[in-house]
Amino acid sequence: MADKEATVYIVDLGHSMGKKHNGRQESDFDWAMTYVWEKITSTVALDRKNATLGVVGLRTDRTENELDNEESFQHLCVLQEIGQLLLPGLKQLHSFFKVSDTDDGDAVSAIVIAIQMIAKYCRKLKYRRKIVLITNGKGSIESDPDGIAEIARKIKADDIELVVVGVDFDDPDFGFKEEDKDKKKSMVEGTLKSLVEDCDGIFGTMQEALDELGQPRLKTTKPVHSYRGQLTLGDPGSYDSAICIDVERYPRVMVRRPLSASKYVQRADFSNGHVSPHSSATMLQDADGDTAMTETGQNNLTSVRSTMTYQVEDPEAPGGKRDVNRDELAKGYLYGSTAVHLSESDQNVTKLETQAGLEIIGFIPWLNFERYMAMSVSCVIIAQKTNNKAILALSSLIHALFELESYAVARLVTKDNKEPLITLLTPSIEVDYECLLDVQVPFVEDVRSYKFPPLDKVTIVSGKEIKEHRNLPNDALKTAMSDYVDRMDLSTFGKDDEGNDAEYMPMTDTYSPILHRIDQAVRWRAVHPIEPIPPPYEILTRYSKPPEELVASSKRRLEKLIAAADVKKVPPKVQSRRRNRNDIKPLSGLDVGALLGSKPKKHKITAQNPIPEFKQALDTGESFEAFKDAANQFAAIIENQIKDSFGDLAYPRAIEELGVMREEMIEMEEPGIYNEFVRELKRKLLAEELGGDRREMWWVVRKKKLGLIEKRVSEQSTVDEEDAKKFLTAN
């Protein structure tokens, strides 16, 4: 479980905060509020009840605190008591942050108020306690050394972390020093720095704090075990020599998803027609499975409900369809072109009954495992935390696997009657802990095998291997590519804190741009409904492109690589006046065929290579008759393949060719040619004119939705959407 937090922010609202200093285009207040809002909205975004905060205003026009009857606690106002802050409270807090008309108010007294708030809220409970003071140091301050020392002792006794962030405060470590600083500010700055040092806090300048804002705040996750039981080697029920170890399994790596947006409807009768740009709502699900959005807090959302209806075809019903209840539906499994119904009793019989367990079924050497076989995120398996016997036994297994350079293959069932998984257990030995890491590996049905031609050789028809070919890289190209890859090496391009070569892109500094960009945008819009969203932080876009220095240093190697690979500019595609086909215009601009007086030849499409030849015939055709002739040849080949097919062996190839013909006719703006053919094809299939009963082929055509080309797809078509649906549904 994440630690409980209690943070109090002390924000300086004095009159001097409204002035601009050191050449900035914004006031000290606006500059400091960038830091304040980022911190507060980050806490709100955590959506945790135990992540609480409070806010105290320093140098305010009014006084409102528990010690307001004392003179030193004047012009201090508690703007937000410690508690979980939600969006309505965030909007109210935004209205309180305004520059006051006074510079009276003691920063040390404000710290005392914050200490009292934390002590009252946290009592003796375990909390991470923190006070953050934001000021420009131009107000008054308590200068009594005894009083400062007493406050420091109280902060340390209550285990409170004190952070002071000052506008234009001097920070030698960061390399900032304000010139011509007045004596009053120097005195305030020195007093606060002394207080921070006495209580082991953090003292810094605002510029450094703003520079660190781009560092994403990682969310602490609560570990939840996915399996808790025994790791067994052998059958403990049959053999006394079987090994049983009490273990627990937790996720080691898990994908973090970005915030998801929900749809809502704004209330039409909101007062004075006002519409708020941001609100909150809760998604609920009722017993019927319908989803509804209910109002939460003070917002302008109205309830949204989504329903789902089920319809079946019924010629006697109005519109040809009849509504049915969900309870009347039955599950069906696709078997060929029909659906097979299994009742609930049948499904219970076919369900595999399993018992929770993690059983080792064998061992394999490290070298026998290919990395592509990992199918899931990795999990960590540790021994039961309070079981010393299990800890010793698991440690022995881990060291044995490590010393023998082997992995364990195990069968995992996380809960009773769950599907069994095959996992690979790998030993992991670190300085401070030992564990087993596991990933899911495939069953034989999960493996997809593909054959691709080799990249390092070319085999001709006779079986001879050719080492030199236009598709094979020569030695010069290999050398140029190797040199370029070496020059673009990122493993040593970065620098560590001591200036030594280090990895340029370590995983600890690589953050998800999408995730944190959405978080940044939502936090900004929650506080600034109208102002434009600022650009993403530099750390999120740092690795979106290669380093400029590395690109510049490898430019010569890249030029050599381009020359060795003979890279040429691809001619631009131009829109042809002939059926909007994309023709490649020669760089010279000359039409060689026209110069030689050659006439286009009629292309013959063969059954051995029909698709490329069909496309080539369309590319060279210049009239409707040429397109029609190519389509007729292609259609005859498709019909012959269906007619000569042994069972359904040739159906996939015919379907592929039918899809190509449909796409090409849409592109050529001749949908009528395809529609005429597919109508005739349907008639022949249902009339058993293509080698007997071929209705299975027509079912595949319907499944792939290769019916008529309708107007929605091609403007030249005369078929509307309703006719296209009837064509596919009718037998």
Side-chain angles (χ1 to χ4, degrees), residues 698-731:
W698 175 242
W699 180 83
V700 179
V701 173
R702 293 172 56 189
K703 182 180 179 181
K704 298 295 183 179
K705 297 182 180 180
L706 297 177
L708 299 173
I709 301 174
E710 55 189 89
K711 293 180 180 179
R712 180 173 55 86
V713 179
S714 176
E715 296 180 356
Q716 287 71 26
S717 176
T718 58
V719 179
D720 57 22
E721 184 177 358
E722 190 67 25
D723 292 339
K725 289 182 179 180
K726 289 181 180 179
F727 178 78
L728 284 179
T729 56
N731 294 326

Side-chain angles (χ1 to χ4, degrees), residues 296-398:
T296 59
Q298 297 178 354
N299 56 65
N300 62 324
L301 300 184
T302 186
S303 177
V304 176
R305 182 179 295 274
S306 60
T307 60
M308 182 178 295
T309 59
Y310 301 90
Q311 295 180 332
V312 295
E313 294 184 1
D314 187 355
E316 299 180 358
K321 296 181 180 180
R322 175 171 54 88
D323 293 343
V324 295
N325 295 327
R326 185 178 180 179
D327 298 337
E328 300 178 18
L329 302 179
K331 289 185 177 181
Y333 294 86
L334 196 62
Y335 182 71
S337 59
T338 59
V340 177
H341 167 61
L342 289 181
S343 62
E344 292 186 6
S345 59
D346 293 335
Q347 291 184 11
N348 292 333
V349 172
T350 58
K351 188 175 182 180
L352 182 63
E353 295 183 1
T354 58
Q355 292 182 348
L358 180 59
E359 307 168 6
I360 296 178
I361 57 179
F363 302 91
I364 61 171
W366 291 357
L367 298 178
N368 288 7
F369 176 72
E370 301 291 345
R371 294 189 62 181
Y372 67 83
M373 298 179 68
M375 293 181 59
S376 66
V377 298
S378 58
C379 294
V380 57
I381 296 176
I382 61 174
Q384 197 176 61
K385 299 177 182 178
T386 58
N387 192 334
N388 294 330
K389 183 178 179 181
I391 294 173
L392 180 60
L394 185 63
S395 177
S396 301
L397 176 61
I398 293 171

Side-chain angles (χ1 to χ4, degrees), residues 170-464:
D170 295 342
D171 191 343
D173 295 335
F174 182 68
F176 178 82
K177 180 176 176 61
E178 185 181 18
E179 302 295 337
D180 301 329
K181 183 176 296 186
D182 60 74
K183 294 182 179 180
K184 184 178 180 181
K185 181 175 181 179
S186 298
M187 186 268 294
V188 172
E189 186 176 332
T191 303
L192 292 175
K193 187 173 184 179
S194 176
L195 174 60
V196 169
E197 292 175 350
D198 291 342
C199 59
D200 301 327
I202 300 175
F203 182 89
T205 186
M206 180 60 68
Q207 184 62 59
E208 181 182 9
L210 293 176
D211 291 345
E212 294 179 353
L213 282 183
Q215 190 76 15
R217 183 177 180 180
L218 300 183
K219 185 178 181 180
T220 303
T221 57
K222 178 183 179 181
V224 179
H225 62 82
S226 57
Y227 171 76
R228 179 178 289 172
Q230 288 188 333
L231 169 64
T232 60
L233 178 57
D235 186 3
S238 303
Y239 304 98
D240 296 336
S241 59
I243 300 176
C244 298
I245 307 174
D246 294 322
V247 297
E248 298 176 354
R249 181 175 182 259
Y250 297 91
R252 180 64 178 271
V253 177
M254 187 68 67
V255 177
R256 182 182 170 188
R257 305 294 181 184
L259 293 173
S260 59
S262 301
K263 295 181 180 179
Y264 61 88
V265 174
Q266 294 176 333
R267 189 187 307 156
D269 59 347
F270 198 66
S271 59
N272 299 327
H274 175 71
V275 176
S276 175
H278 50 263
S279 302
S280 60
T282 303
M283 301 298 295
L284 299 177
Q285 193 172 34
D286 56 21
D288 298 331
D290 297 333
T291 301
M293 180 178 289
T294 60
E295 302 175 21
T296 59
Q298 297 178 354
N299 56 65
N300 62 324
L301 300 184
T302 186
S303 177
V304 176
R305 182 179 295 274
S306 60
T307 60
M308 182 178 295
T309 59
Y310 301 90
Q311 295 180 332
V312 295
E313 294 184 1
D314 187 355
E316 299 180 358
K321 296 181 180 180
R322 175 171 54 88
D323 293 343
V324 295
N325 295 327
R326 185 178 180 179
D327 298 337
E328 300 178 18
L329 302 179
K331 289 185 177 181
Y333 294 86
L334 196 62
Y335 182 71
S337 59
T338 59
V340 177
H341 167 61
L342 289 181
S343 62
E344 292 186 6
S345 59
D346 293 335
Q347 291 184 11
N348 292 333
V349 172
T350 58
K351 188 175 182 180
L352 182 63
E353 295 183 1
T354 58
Q355 292 182 348
L358 180 59
E359 307 168 6
I360 296 178
I361 57 179
F363 302 91
I364 61 171
W366 291 357
L367 298 178
N368 288 7
F369 176 72
E370 301 291 345
R371 294 189 62 181
Y372 67 83
M373 298 179 68
M375 293 181 59
S376 66
V377 298
S378 58
C379 294
V380 57
I381 296 176
I382 61 174
Q384 197 176 61
K385 299 177 182 178
T386 58
N387 192 334
N388 294 330
K389 183 178 179 181
I391 294 173
L392 180 60
L394 185 63
S395 177
S396 301
L397 176 61
I398 293 171
H399 280 271
L401 291 174
F402 183 81
E403 293 172 3
L404 296 176
E405 298 183 353
S406 299
Y407 296 144
V409 180
R411 177 181 183 269
L412 172 65
V413 179
T414 56
K415 294 181 180 179
D416 291 343
N417 296 324
K418 282 280 189 178
E419 296 179 356
L421 304 174
I422 301 297
T423 62
L424 191 79
L425 309 182
T426 67
S428 177
I429 301 176
E430 302 294 339
V431 177
D432 51 350
Y433 70 93
E434 300 172 351
C435 66
L436 288 174
L437 299 177
D438 81 90
V439 292
Q440 182 183 347
V441 293
F443 292 100
V444 65
E445 296 85 359
D446 301 325
V447 178
R448 302 291 186 268
S449 298
Y450 303 98
K451 291 184 178 180
F452 301 99
L455 299 177
D456 58 344
K457 60 183 178 181
V458 174
T459 305
I460 59 178
V461 179
S462 62
K464 181 181 178 181

Side-chain angles (χ1 to χ4, degrees), residues 87-116:
L87 187 56
L90 193 66
K91 293 165 58 179
Q92 185 180 19
L93 190 62
H94 185 271
S95 63
F96 293 154
F97 283 143
K98 295 180 180 179
V99 177
S100 67
D101 296 328
T102 182
D103 279 330
D104 296 332
D106 187 359
V108 174
S109 298
I111 295 176
V112 173
I113 295 295
I115 295 173
Q116 187 181 26

